[in-house]
Amino acid sequence: INDDTYNIDFKWIHRNINEVINIKRLEPLGIKRPEKLIISQEEKDSIIYVYENQDFSGLENISIGILEEGKSMIIYFISKRNEENYILKYNLKESVISKFSYFDIPEGEKILSEEELTSIIENFRKYGIYMLEIDEEKNIYINPYEINAPPYYMKCKSDTTKQLLEKNDFIYEKYKDNWYINKNYNEFLGR
């Protein structure tokens, strides 16, 4: 990406938000994927070791992911309680939001301020991952591998249910302890 000439089409994203959120059609965004993501057991164990005891304070009931990344900017998608949705262009050189839009805000709900959104981004950036979601039950979903992709790992806070193991068209398979892996990750991305 040439950051000087790159412009995100926020109107396109609004019209096609289901594709952006569900990541079923990536071609309009110009996202190229490797043939298949294959993660060794050693690498999985390493990721689990790193994130096992992370606090993730300030990101409760938040889903955040990177849609696009350049040398001096990142496009983020942020969702609060799966109701309030934001798309932001974040300037890396100045650590500020240079453009943002929002949609699906329930009537009467306060829109997150630019300062609150910046705080969420800065908090998220500490973890060096591409996608993070923490749901109401404090289950954690992480993708440390690819931008604009679904969660690869799920860490359950409590006992799992069939509903939790089959969340958002993903099927999670137990890996170890309270960690699960998205069984249909590659298939979902068309690999």
Side-chain angles (χ1 to χ4, degrees):
I1 297 172
N2 180 343
D3 292 334
D4 298 329
T5 59
Y6 183 75
N7 247 335
I8 188 74
D9 185 350
F10 282 84
K11 289 180 181 173
W12 180 90
I13 291 175
H14 281 272
R15 287 190 310 272
N16 299 282
I17 194 60
N18 288 334
E19 285 84 6
V20 172
I21 293 170
N22 293 324
I23 314 150
K24 291 188 179 182
R25 290 186 53 208
L26 299 173
E27 195 171 304
L29 292 175
I31 307 292
K32 302 285 186 239
R33 299 272 183 213
E35 287 298 312
K36 192 171 189 180
L37 184 67
I38 300 171
I39 309 299
S40 70
Q41 182 175 347
E42 183 178 300
E43 188 172 352
K44 290 174 190 173
D45 291 343
S46 176
I47 292 293
I48 289 170
Y49 177 79
V50 168
Y51 295 104
E52 176 67 33
N53 296 311
Q54 290 294 332
D55 183 14
F56 296 114
S57 290
L59 296 170
E60 299 85 0
N61 295 315
I62 295 286
S63 177
I64 180 170
I66 297 174
L67 295 177
E68 192 67 63
E69 189 171 37
K71 290 180 187 173
S72 64
M73 69 83 199
I74 297 177
I75 307 295
Y76 289 98
F77 176 81
I78 297 175
S79 179
K80 185 174 179 188
R81 295 185 310 272
N82 291 321
E83 294 176 349
E84 303 172 29
N85 298 297
Y86 302 84
I87 297 173
L88 308 105
K89 187 174 183 178
Y90 185 78
N91 182 316
L92 292 168
K93 292 178 183 174
E94 298 174 18
S95 297
V96 296
I97 295 170
S98 58
K99 185 173 183 178
F100 81 96
S101 69
Y102 54 87
F103 48 96
D104 296 337
I105 308 293
E107 192 171 324
E109 283 290 317
K110 176 184 157 275
I111 296 168
L112 292 175
S113 70
E114 193 169 324
E115 291 79 24
E116 290 169 309
L117 292 167
T118 300
S119 176
I120 290 169
I121 290 171
E122 289 172 354
N123 198 356
F124 171 74
R125 289 178 50 78
K126 294 188 295 192
Y127 301 107
I129 54 181
Y130 297 103
M131 182 269 161
L132 172 69
E133 178 182 343
I134 303 174
D135 66 20
E136 304 80 31
E137 289 83 33
K138 306 233 184 303
N139 298 309
I140 297 169
Y141 304 84
I142 297 174
N143 187 323
Y145 304 117
E146 301 179 274
I147 65 170
N148 202 10
Y152 188 83
Y153 298 97
M154 174 178 69
K155 179 185 177 191
C156 294
K157 192 72 173 172
S158 60
D159 291 338
T160 57
T161 64
K162 182 177 171 78
Q163 182 181 8
L164 186 60
L165 294 177
E166 296 178 3
K167 183 178 178 180
N168 296 337
D169 296 327
F170 306 126
I171 299 169
Y172 290 92
E173 185 174 74
K174 187 172 183 80
Y175 179 67
K176 64 171 23 175
D177 301 324
N178 56 344
W179 285 89
Y180 294 76
I181 293 180
N182 187 340
K183 185 178 171 183
N184 60 336
Y185 181 86
N186 284 309
E187 176 187 331
F188 190 80
L189 292 173
R191 297 179 179 156

